[in-house]
Amino acid sequence: MPRDSSGHLRAGRISPPRTVPAAIPRPEYVGRRGPREYEGTNVYEAGQVELIRESGRIAARAVEAVGLAIRSGVTTDQLDAIGHSYLIENDEYPSTLGYRGYPKSVCTSINEVICHGIPDDTLLEDGDIINIDITAFRNGVHGDLSKTFIVGAASQAATDLVERTREALNRGIKAVAPGREINVIGRAIESYAKRFGYGVVRDFTGHGVGEAFHSGLVIPHYDAAPDFAQPMEVGMVFTIEPMLTLGSREWDMWPDGWTVTTRDKSLTAQFEHTLVVTERGADILTLP
Ligand code: MF3
Ligand code: CO
Ligand code: CO
């Protein structure tokens, strides 16, 4: 089974590809090596924002459906099947499926996996924490979110990490306002995380999202000032998705080219929302 003698994760077996009905429109990158360079906008009209909200709502409901199935003894592949079915039953394309060669519809990141864990035959165990990250595409736009769930009962340290990562995302969202520099978001997240001595991952970031899955706009989760001084604008759509660790922010990549773990194998949690900048602050587009 895919854990080593000290309980750390190892790569498991990945099941054959799941299919998507031909009637569901695909993003342009599916069947290609990667996306075309995005030359569009990060700032959307109200009508487009509502379409992103529709994709985001279905993605959020898919995360909820997966969350209901999380328990000791299920495999991450079974969770992928649930997320995949939920999306296609709602006429949404699972944005990760075929994105730069990613083979599944959900990212399932357990314990020391920071992000982009690939669903396989790994069995969830009591005390694990697992991030479920789902992006849905319909009407030409993507909505992207993730949440971390606790399997059964976890240690106090793990439970605190999960709750404080959720709070770190909330604080990042509260820092959003038109005219403020993008770097205020990461400042809010990092200053909160530092209270607890947590590592704040730097090399994976929030991003512009909408017509493109990753538009090229980068949202750091640490205090990057004086860099990332671009002012937020009303109608700008992006994700905030902090990854906090019980140890350092250094990471390693598995040979699969996707799975990112903490180098010190410390526990790590993540929460993500897609939001639009409004006159008053932020409006979350990935609520169920
Ligand atoms: N949803 C992830 C994000 O938050 C991206 C996953 S890309 C994948 O940006 F290919 F790993 F699925
Ligand atoms: Co994202
Ligand atoms: Co995501």
Side-chain angles (χ1 to χ4, degrees):
M1 277 292 105
R3 307 236 181 184
D4 68 18
S5 53
S6 48
H8 292 304
L9 293 151
R10 291 195 290 120
R13 281 176 188 281
I14 298 173
S15 66
R18 297 195 156 82
T19 57
V20 177
I24 296 182
R26 274 94 170 120
E28 51 84 22
Y29 51 76
V30 174
R32 302 165 22 85
R33 284 177 56 87
R36 292 200 170 78
E37 197 184 336
Y38 182 64
E39 286 172 348
T41 184
N42 290 297
V43 178
Y44 292 86
E45 305 285 340
Q48 283 289 95
V49 169
E50 291 317 304
L51 295 180
I52 300 170
R53 195 192 305 275
E54 271 184 41
S55 291
R57 179 179 294 124
I58 299 304
R61 290 178 181 171
V63 169
E64 283 192 330
V66 171
L68 289 173
I70 289 177
R71 58 175 172 76
S72 162
V74 304
T75 67
T76 50
D77 187 62
Q78 289 174 295
L79 300 179
D80 181 74
I82 292 166
H84 179 87
S85 302
Y86 192 92
L87 294 180
I88 65 173
E89 281 162 15
N90 287 278
D91 299 313
E92 299 266 353
Y93 186 88
S95 304
T96 61
L97 183 64
Y99 178 72
R100 298 183 188 273
Y102 188 84
K104 291 290 166 190
S105 301
V106 180
C107 294
T108 52
S109 301
I110 300 172
N111 296 347
E112 71 268 24
V113 179
I114 294 173
C115 60
H116 307 163
I118 302 173
D120 62 15
D121 62 353
T122 301
L123 292 161
L124 294 189
E125 294 179 3
D126 196 47
D128 284 342
I129 63 173
I130 178 172
N131 178 274
I132 302 297
D133 191 335
I134 295 182
T135 307
F137 176 84
R138 189 170 62 182
N139 294 316
V141 294
H142 304 266
D144 181 9
L145 84 154
S146 80
K147 290 186 189 308
T148 299
F149 296 86
I150 293 174
V151 183
S155 67
Q156 189 63 48
T159 308
D160 288 346
L161 176 69
V162 170
E163 280 321 305
R164 291 163 178 167
T165 306
R166 193 194 313 271
E167 175 63 15
L169 170 58
N170 286 338
R171 289 180 181 228
I173 292 171
K174 288 210 171 81
V176 170
R180 286 199 186 153
E181 296 180 2
I182 278 176
N183 61 36
V184 304
I185 297 167
R187 186 172 315 136
I189 291 167
E190 187 175 40
S191 72
Y192 179 70
K194 267 192 173 165
R195 288 193 204 174
F196 311 106
Y198 293 157
V200 180
V201 174
R202 295 192 173 194
D203 297 335
F204 299 87
T205 67
H207 52 92
V209 65
E211 290 171 1
F213 189 174
H214 296 102
S215 74
L217 174 67
V218 168
I219 312 294
H221 302 120
Y222 63 98
D223 186 357
D227 295 339
F228 298 91
Q230 184 184 349
M232 292 180 250
E233 286 175 59
V234 172
M236 209 179 245
V237 175
F238 53 81
T239 74
I240 305 177
E241 48 185 296
M243 289 144 270
L244 304 186
T245 83
L246 288 185
S248 93
R249 62 172 184 254
E250 301 303 317
W251 55 273
D252 280 320
M253 173 96 63
W254 283 5
D256 63 19
W258 283 108
T259 308
V260 179
T261 73
T262 50
R263 184 161 294 168
D264 59 13
K265 307 276 180 90
S266 64
L267 220 50
T268 169
Q270 180 179 27
F271 285 82
E272 173 177 25
H273 273 305
T274 297
L275 57 87
V276 60
V277 181
T278 68
E279 298 286 358
R280 300 162 38 84
D283 182 7
I284 299 172
L285 301 177
T286 39
L287 296 175

